[in-house]
Amino acid sequence: MRGWFAGMSAAGVAAGALVLALPAFGADPDDLAADAKLQLAESHVTATLTPTHARRLFVLDVAFPAAEAARTYVLDGATGRIEGMFNQAYWPNFAVSPDGSELYAVDSYWEKHTRGKRSDYIVVRDARTLQVSEDIPLPAGRLLIVSKKYDFDVTPDGRYGLTYNLAPQTTVTVTDLKARKSIGTIGIPGCGLIFAQAASRFSSLCADGAIATVTFDESANGTIRRTANVFDAKNDPAFEHSGWDKHHQMLYLVTYHGKVVPVDLAGEQAVAGPSWWLTDEAERRAGWRPGGWQVCHFHSSKRRLYVLMHRGGDWTHKNSGTEVWEFEATTGRRVQRVRLPEPAQSIAVSQDDDALLYAIGDSYRIYALGLATGKLLYKTRPLGFTPQLLTVWGD
Amino acid sequence: MRGWFAGMSAAGVAAGALVLALPAFGADPDDLAADAKLQLAESHVTATLTPTHARRLFVLDVAFPAAEAARTYVLDGATGRIEGMFNQAYWPNFAVSPDGSELYAVDSYWEKHTRGKRSDYIVVRDARTLQVSEDIPLPAGRLLIVSKKYDFDVTPDGRYGLTYNLAPQTTVTVTDLKARKSIGTIGIPGCGLIFAQAASRFSSLCADGAIATVTFDESANGTIRRTANVFDAKNDPAFEHSGWDKHHQMLYLVTYHGKVVPVDLAGEQAVAGPSWWLTDEAERRAGWRPGGWQVCHFHSSKRRLYVLMHRGGDWTHKNSGTEVWEFEATTGRRVQRVRLPEPAQSIAVSQDDDALLYAIGDSYRIYALGLATGKLLYKTRPLGFTPQLLTVWGD
Amino acid sequence: MTPISSTRFDRLIEAFTRGAAQRSSRRGFLSQCGLWLIAASALPLLPVARRAQAGEQPAGKPVRKFASAFANLAQTSDSTRCNYWRYCASDGYLCACCGGGPNTCPPGTSPSPTSWIGSCINPDDGKTYLIAYRDCCGQDSCGRCLCLGQEGDMPSYRPQVNNDIVWCFGASSMVYHCSSAGLVGLAE
Amino acid sequence: MTPISSTRFDRLIEAFTRGAAQRSSRRGFLSQCGLWLIAASALPLLPVARRAQAGEQPAGKPVRKFASAFANLAQTSDSTRCNYWRYCASDGYLCACCGGGPNTCPPGTSPSPTSWIGSCINPDDGKTYLIAYRDCCGQDSCGRCLCLGQEGDMPSYRPQVNNDIVWCFGASSMVYHCSSAGLVGLAE
């Protein structure tokens, strides 16, 4: 009996050099030849991802009916192939480090999945292996809300991760991603969301329609400068997922009714530019307006704004969009209208020159269209439970 | 501003006597009258369940695509109404205490939902409030396997919870449910599953077709008595979810091919009776055989065996059943064939006189049929992710 | 009840609810359909719900009896349906489908000790009532009867009128299970 | 590799695999379609999968080239489909749909250090090959391409031939992600 052993070995997996020792059988004449040993014809390895590239697509599935069990899928945006997946937890956020080497997941865990002690972290993963390299505690917690992209942002230099909280004051916790340590919390009374435009600066939208810009130091002491109201927060609020051009430090606020308010976030205080409309009067009369979840996305080098549009009345701002409209952000000129194969809740655009438009359809399929051609490249099978947010490198 | 306060109070919830203090507004002329206080017309309470009764139905949803997030739904079996739900964790088990006062969930948690430290428990809940009254640790762990009913059983007196493990020996951990403490682990080499027939006794099925009966003392020292083989484990194994009549200490093994082997588990050593067939030769030729997940169920006072049947070839033992066949267990006489509205994976029968037949259809709907009439009482909307096991009081 | 406004938490609630109440007392933007306050971590995700929502945007104008689009389609008999009159400002899984009711949390959960006040028109008498919206907390999503509401829903930088936040502040658990809607009384 | 059979764990594996290997070397009950060993925590649950399974039970007899029903329907070109020839004994979510392949675990997971050996017929050459089935462990269910296998699947009191057990013993995590199937070589 001892002449035989099981087909196993230490999991020298990443090395890819696993050789399977095959059973060498004993005396039973019905068995294979005694002492037979076969090499495994193939190694049994764990795949690693290619370095982060412009067409990698991250799909955050908030898994609403089992919200403790959110996950992010990693796709090859060019083909729709699933390249990997990792678990997130309760109403998470997600971002890619500016250099593409790390993935940041903002997660809330309960000791017993849905009960017991809660703990909040920025979870750092290697972007190629998806292995966790650090759980950075967020001792001040974070807001639990159906995941919105700009409840978390990373400064352009990759140094700080900024997480939004409401407990009960509205605050932003500053985490030093290099030192792997939360360094403090900055109050942003009456404001929310985080658009991190510079090494030690971020802006937020305020309940009264102002923009607050916070400049902070290495101890997370912040100075707030607020603008006058730049949009009508009561009657025509700006979408949380407005167009964010971090590279040019420009935020293109898109309102429920379809107005665009460009806001320059470069300085210590934001400066709003002249507003323009997504729609002309005839289009507005026909009911065209923005709507969905991740309603807008931006292509930074082209300086183009993409908006999910549908026809509907008031209070349809979360209706799925049937088309994506592309605009020159600096002029307000509409470049094209792209009809989607299926109404969609969320869109994103790859940041390469030959940009792809991604959409999460209502059937939970992921669609990719070439923006130059408007042609559908693929649709995936339905992905996950309730895929919600799309992230590309550099967005 | 201080003259006003928010509509909240301490959550005196179970008492049902919550009175909502309504905003009394300040000086703003646009507000409601200053100092107005309204009583909440209704109390805002948390429901409690009626005491466990014969027609309560527990549906364990293993949530295969998010296995960390299993849950059990509590239904009114008479109407299909959802009465409540509680979260379970990774490949759990579930049982009701014999007196109906407690619910036992056997769960495996990870500190960070899918990673970190693992811990295993029998979680005790009050059957009326669903509140956790105790997490009893299982220091020896438990087998992780797609949930099977008889990987966990409770002795008829309600004293001991018995959990199956394979790590790597096959063992049973004995937990004193009254003392809320695991007291030891008993090896059952070559055998698996747990049928707890007496205060300090359980039986298991063995890989060679024998039945092992373990009699144990208060320190979990066990004495094993094995039978000779009572079924052909190699060529016609017995289903794990065979017919279990705990009340009469009779196990009706049902085999892949449709044979029934009654086994008397009353004594220190099991005794098999003469076997019989679910099918006659013509039915076998027509392909009728048992199949599904929870393939069989038993009505103890009627001594009737219920089996999910379908037409298929070899290796269709997990195919869904299109009919449920009802048998007098003591005679082998078939009482009726009940055609199901939809093929089903799992069945159970309420233990009252006017028994209901429950089934989990392939669309994940729960069906209830009157066994006296064969008539459909209701079907629910699809329930959960992958509902898997049904439990009724006294099964 | 004694106001407990001296805590930090209360000040948040106060700030939230004051804003909400101001709007509810106006014949304005928000009061038409009741307030769409933080009643749930709601989310327009299930295709069924999306279609239902889309279906409520008919090409022609329906006959409108009330200013509230919700009230024009509401009923008062079945609290397990999205158009039950009290749910004009609710969003999320209905507690009534999960073992609770419009003013009852399912077993194993507890109502958040805080609530928002909305106002809904009862289509039977045409009167406007104040409704206390509470999340039931302590189990993960019940997963039954997802109702998507948008009327009055504002972005989360206006948290007092955003329906995506998990409104379990102050409850024994911050895990959202379902949304309930208790009757307070006549609004005016 | 050096056998590491002196541990308690090895003895289990030995016991399991010995039984399995005995059966695989026979022209019997199990060897026809390869062994249906513990390759996954598999589960016949998704309606799609159930229907697919049901669809494989035609009323008439299909033309059978091989003794294995699986091999008669198998193909060798697309490892993301349930009927890829190596999966004759696999059950669960296919790693090939999840960022891995028949012999590759997806990023962020690792193969269980233990594996079971099955034998599958390659329909192109009609020869029987040994296949090493491993679970990839460390993330929750990948949720893509659930394949339901039953041929050779026995109850869990015969764990060496049951396909419901989470086969991550000895891996860094006991959380099942997907099922892989590496080629060992010719069976005979």
Side-chain angles (χ1 to χ4, degrees):
Chain A
M1 296 302 177
R2 274 274 154 267
W4 175 94
F5 62 95
M8 64 182 171
S9 75
V13 167
L18 190 83
V19 176
L20 186 78
L22 233 244
F25 290 99
D28 186 337
D30 207 25
D31 282 343
L32 292 175
D35 305 321
K37 284 191 184 182
L38 297 179
Q39 296 285 94
L40 182 58
E42 300 169 323
S43 59
H44 200 120
V45 300
T46 291
T48 52
L49 294 164
T50 55
T52 302
H53 55 80
R55 291 188 168 189
R56 179 151 292 150
L57 177 64
F58 299 91
V59 182
L60 175 57
D61 175 11
V62 297
F64 192 26
E68 61 181 290
R71 67 267 314 272
T72 288
Y73 289 95
V74 183
L75 272 69
D76 175 12
T79 63
R81 196 178 79 85
I82 310 282
E83 296 189 309
M85 181 207 100
F86 56 89
N87 294 113
Q88 295 210 230
Y90 197 63
W91 299 122
N93 285 102
F94 172 79
V96 184
S97 72
D99 68 2
S101 69
E102 294 186 326
L103 308 179
Y104 302 119
V106 188
D107 275 308
S108 298
Y109 297 96
W110 272 267
E111 206 174 26
K112 293 192 172 79
H113 298 196
T114 57
R115 60 192 178 93
K117 192 171 166 294
R118 169 182 163 188
S119 52
D120 305 275
Y121 299 95
I122 296 179
V123 182
V124 183
R125 282 182 177 79
D126 181 276
R128 299 193 59 184
T129 67
L130 302 182
Q131 296 290 339
V132 174
S133 39
E134 190 92 19
D135 289 297
I136 310 176
L138 292 171
R142 55 184 288 265
L143 173 63
L144 298 181
I145 183 172
V146 179
S147 303
K148 306 192 184 235
K149 231 173 149 63
Y150 304 116
D151 285 338
F152 175 54
D153 205 357
V154 176
T155 52
D157 60 350
R159 172 85 183 269
Y160 296 113
L162 305 171
T163 48
Y164 179 51
N165 200 5
L166 174 83
Q169 278 83 8
T170 56
T171 57
V172 169
T173 293
V174 181
T175 298
D176 187 330
L177 295 168
K178 302 303 175 193
R180 310 294 204 205
K181 191 170 171 351
S182 285
I183 57 170
T185 288
I186 300 172
I188 51 167
C191 306
L193 304 176
I194 300 159
F195 301 90
Q197 70 272 55
S200 56
R201 184 172 293 159
F202 67 89
S203 294
S204 297
L205 307 189
C206 302
D208 57 3
I211 311 286
T213 298
V214 177
T215 306
F216 59 93
D217 65 16
E218 295 195 348
S219 305
N221 298 306
T223 311
I224 307 184
R225 295 275 192 95
R226 288 171 65 110
T227 63
N229 300 353
V230 306
F231 61 95
D232 182 348
K234 190 180 288 182
N235 295 305
D236 189 22
F239 281 100
E240 295 147 308
H241 292 100
S242 283
W244 175 216
D245 179 6
K246 186 183 287 191
H247 185 64
H248 295 101
Q249 302 178 299
M250 286 294 297
L251 180 61
Y252 296 88
L253 295 173
V254 173
T255 72
Y256 279 22
H257 291 142
K259 230 162 45 172
V260 179
V261 183
V263 185
D264 183 345
L265 299 183
E268 288 195 357
Q269 175 154 338
V271 179
S275 66
W276 47 273
W277 285 91
L278 299 171
T279 44
D280 61 26
E281 270 188 42
E283 287 161 349
R284 280 197 289 284
R285 267 199 307 275
W288 283 104
R289 59 177 67 208
W293 192 263
Q294 191 173 341
V295 181
C296 300
H297 209 250
F298 202 86
H299 191 293
S300 210
S301 64
K302 290 184 198 291
R303 303 186 84 141
R304 294 221 172 133
L305 172 69
Y306 301 85
V307 186
L308 261 173
M309 302 290 290
H310 70 283
R311 292 178 65 181
D314 283 346
W315 304 120
T316 61
H317 55 287
K318 283 176 176 166
N319 275 25
S320 296
T322 56
E323 298 188 3
V324 173
W325 292 10
E326 179 179 12
F327 297 89
E328 277 184 5
T330 49
T331 65
R333 184 180 74 85
R334 185 171 67 206
V335 179
Q336 64 172 330
R337 293 168 57 164
V338 179
R339 186 155 184 88
L340 295 172
E342 176 185 20
Q345 277 285 296
S346 292
I347 55 167
V349 173
S350 69
Q351 299 295 303
D352 49 346
D353 286 343
D354 184 16
L356 302 184
L357 169 66
Y358 306 115
I360 302 176
D362 283 357
S363 66
Y364 302 144
R365 292 172 201 278
I366 311 299
Y367 293 86
L369 298 93
L371 270 171
T373 63
K375 287 244 173 72
L376 179 69
L377 294 186
Y378 60 81
K379 62 174 179 182
T380 68
R381 281 176 284 183
L383 182 64
F385 299 102
T386 55
Q388 183 94 355
L389 290 175
L390 299 170
T391 298
V392 300
W393 189 25
D395 73 356
Chain B
M1 296 300 175
R2 273 273 154 269
W4 176 93
F5 60 96
M8 64 183 172
S9 74
V13 168
L18 189 82
V19 175
L20 186 77
L22 234 244
F25 292 99
D28 185 338
D30 206 26
D31 282 343
L32 291 174
D35 304 320
K37 284 192 187 185
L38 298 180
Q39 295 284 95
L40 182 59
E42 301 170 322
S43 58
H44 201 120
V45 300
T46 292
T48 52
L49 294 164
T50 56
T52 302
H53 55 79
R55 290 187 167 190
R56 179 150 291 150
L57 177 63
F58 300 91
V59 182
L60 175 57
D61 175 9
V62 297
F64 191 25
E68 61 180 290
R71 68 269 311 275
T72 287
Y73 289 95
V74 183
L75 272 69
D76 175 12
T79 63
R81 196 178 79 87
I82 310 282
E83 296 188 308
M85 182 206 99
F86 57 88
N87 294 113
Q88 296 210 229
Y90 197 63
W91 299 123
N93 285 101
F94 172 80
V96 184
S97 72
D99 68 3
S101 69
E102 293 186 326
L103 307 180
Y104 302 120
V106 188
D107 275 309
S108 298
Y109 298 96
W110 273 267
E111 206 174 24
K112 292 193 173 76
H113 299 195
T114 58
R115 59 193 179 92
K117 190 170 168 295
R118 169 181 163 190
S119 53
D120 307 274
Y121 299 94
I122 296 178
V123 182
V124 183
R125 283 182 177 79
D126 180 276
R128 299 193 61 185
T129 67
L130 302 183
Q131 296 291 339
V132 173
S133 39
E134 190 92 20
D135 291 295
I136 311 176
L138 292 171
R142 55 184 286 264
L143 173 63
L144 298 180
I145 183 172
V146 180
S147 303
K148 304 190 185 238
K149 232 173 148 63
Y150 303 117
D151 286 339
F152 175 54
D153 205 358
V154 176
T155 53
D157 61 350
R159 172 84 184 271
Y160 296 112
L162 305 170
T163 49
Y164 179 52
N165 200 3
L166 173 85
Q169 277 86 6
T170 57
T171 58
V172 170
T173 293
V174 182
T175 298
D176 187 330
L177 295 168
K178 303 303 175 195
R180 310 293 204 205
K181 191 172 176 340
S182 285
I183 58 171
T185 289
I186 301 171
I188 50 166
C191 306
L193 303 175
I194 299 160
F195 300 91
Q197 70 272 57
S200 55
R201 185 172 293 160
F202 67 89
S203 293
S204 298
L205 306 190
C206 303
D208 58 3
I211 310 285
T213 298
V214 176
T215 306
F216 59 93
D217 64 17
E218 294 195 350
S219 307
N221 298 307
T223 312
I224 307 185
R225 296 276 192 94
R226 289 171 66 110
T227 63
N229 301 353
V230 306
F231 63 94
D232 182 349
K234 190 179 288 181
N235 296 305
D236 189 22
F239 281 98
E240 295 147 308
H241 293 101
S242 282
W244 175 215
D245 179 6
K246 187 183 283 192
H247 185 66
H248 295 101
Q249 304 178 300
M250 287 292 298
L251 180 60
Y252 296 88
L253 296 173
V254 172
T255 72
Y256 279 21
H257 291 141
K259 230 159 51 168
V260 179
V261 183
V263 185
D264 183 344
L265 299 183
E268 289 195 356
Q269 175 153 340
V271 179
S275 66
W276 47 273
W277 284 91
L278 299 171
T279 44
D280 62 27
E281 269 186 47
E283 287 161 347
R284 282 196 289 284
R285 268 197 308 274
W288 284 103
R289 60 178 65 207
W293 191 263
Q294 190 172 341
V295 182
C296 300
H297 209 249
F298 202 87
H299 191 293
S300 209
S301 65
K302 290 183 197 293
R303 302 187 84 141
R304 294 222 171 133
L305 173 69
Y306 301 84
V307 187
L308 260 174
M309 302 290 289
H310 71 282
R311 291 179 65 182
D314 284 346
W315 304 119
T316 62
H317 56 288
K318 282 176 177 165
N319 276 24
S320 295
T322 56
E323 298 187 3
V324 172
W325 292 11
E326 178 179 14
F327 297 89
E328 277 185 5
T330 50
T331 65
R333 183 180 74 86
R334 184 171 67 206
V335 179
Q336 65 172 331
R337 292 167 59 164
V338 180
R339 188 154 183 86
L340 295 172
E342 174 184 23
Q345 276 285 295
S346 292
I347 55 167
V349 173
S350 70
Q351 300 294 303
D352 50 345
D353 285 344
D354 184 16
L356 302 184
L357 170 66
Y358 306 114
I360 303 176
D362 283 358
S363 67
Y364 302 143
R365 291 172 202 278
I366 310 300
Y367 292 87
L369 299 93
L371 269 169
T373 62
K375 287 244 171 73
L376 178 69
L377 295 187
Y378 61 82
K379 62 175 179 182
T380 68
R381 279 175 286 182
L383 182 64
F385 299 102
T386 55
Q388 183 94 358
L389 289 175
L390 299 170
T391 297
V392 299
W393 190 25
D395 70 356
Chain C
M1 304 298 286
T2 309
I4 48 172
S5 53
S6 56
T7 66
R8 288 168 74 236
F9 183 68
D10 290 345
R11 287 196 297 273
L12 171 72
I13 306 304
E14 178 178 358
F16 278 14
T17 313
R18 184 170 58 247
Q22 286 171 346
R23 275 177 298 281
S24 81
S25 61
R26 264 182 217 125
R27 293 284 178 279
F29 188 67
L30 284 170
S31 59
Q32 286 186 359
C33 306
L35 293 175
W36 218 262
L37 299 179
I38 301 165
S41 70
L43 175 63
L45 280 173
L46 296 190
V48 166
R50 288 183 191 165
R51 279 193 291 272
Q53 182 65 32
E56 290 170 13
Q57 304 295 328
K61 296 274 178 192
V63 176
R64 291 174 69 95
K65 186 173 171 192
F66 305 112
S68 157
F70 186 95
N72 283 310
L73 297 167
Q75 45 82 27
T76 59
S77 54
D78 185 354
S79 63
T80 66
R81 290 172 57 202
C82 291
N83 70 339
Y84 183 64
W85 72 280
R86 291 187 193 184
Y87 301 150
C88 74
S90 180
D91 202 347
Y93 298 114
L94 298 182
C95 293
C97 295
C98 306
N103 60 312
T104 309
C105 286
T109 68
S110 52
S112 177
T114 52
S115 73
W116 298 116
I117 310 298
S119 62
C120 298
I121 294 173
N122 181 327
D124 292 348
D125 63 12
K127 291 182 178 162
T128 301
Y129 293 81
L130 292 177
I131 306 292
Y133 292 107
R134 294 178 187 281
D135 281 359
C136 297
C137 311
Q139 306 284 349
D140 201 357
S141 306
C142 105
R144 313 288 294 171
C145 302
L146 181 64
C147 297
L148 160 64
Q150 297 186 49
E151 292 189 46
D153 168 55
M154 303 285 267
S156 60
Y157 54 83
R158 306 192 61 194
Q160 72 275 29
V161 278
N162 171 263
N163 66 18
D164 305 308
I165 292 172
V166 174
W167 190 250
C168 292
F169 298 110
S172 57
S173 164
M174 278 297 295
V175 177
Y176 167 80
H177 185 62
C178 64
S179 302
S180 66
L183 183 63
V184 177
L186 271 176
E188 39 206 333
Chain D
M1 305 300 285
T2 310
I4 47 171
S5 52
S6 56
T7 66
R8 289 168 73 236
F9 183 67
D10 291 344
R11 288 196 295 275
L12 170 73
I13 307 303
E14 179 178 0
F16 278 14
T17 314
R18 183 168 61 246
Q22 287 171 348
R23 275 177 298 281
S24 81
S25 62
R26 265 183 215 124
R27 294 282 177 282
F29 187 66
L30 286 171
S31 59
Q32 286 185 0
C33 308
L35 292 175
W36 219 262
L37 300 178
I38 301 164
S41 72
L43 176 61
L45 281 174
L46 296 189
V48 167
R50 289 183 190 166
R51 279 194 292 272
Q53 181 65 31
E56 290 170 11
Q57 305 295 330
K61 295 275 179 191
V63 177
R64 292 174 68 93
K65 186 173 171 190
F66 306 112
S68 157
F70 186 94
N72 284 309
L73 297 167
Q75 46 81 27
T76 59
S77 54
D78 185 354
S79 62
T80 67
R81 290 173 56 202
C82 291
N83 70 339
Y84 183 65
W85 72 280
R86 291 187 193 184
Y87 301 149
C88 74
S90 180
D91 203 347
Y93 298 114
L94 298 183
C95 293
C97 295
C98 306
N103 60 313
T104 308
C105 286
T109 69
S110 50
S112 177
T114 52
S115 74
W116 297 119
I117 310 299
S119 61
C120 298
I121 295 172
N122 181 325
D124 291 348
D125 63 11
K127 289 180 178 164
T128 302
Y129 292 80
L130 292 176
I131 305 293
Y133 292 106
R134 293 176 190 282
D135 280 358
C136 297
C137 310
Q139 306 284 350
D140 200 357
S141 307
C142 106
R144 312 289 293 171
C145 302
L146 181 63
C147 297
L148 161 64
Q150 298 186 47
E151 291 188 49
D153 167 56
M154 303 285 269
S156 60
Y157 55 82
R158 305 192 60 194
Q160 71 275 27
V161 279
N162 171 264
N163 65 20
D164 305 308
I165 293 172
V166 174
W167 190 249
C168 291
F169 298 111
S172 56
S173 164
M174 277 298 295
V175 177
Y176 166 80
H177 184 63
C178 65
S179 302
S180 66
L183 183 63
V184 177
L186 271 175
E188 40 205 333

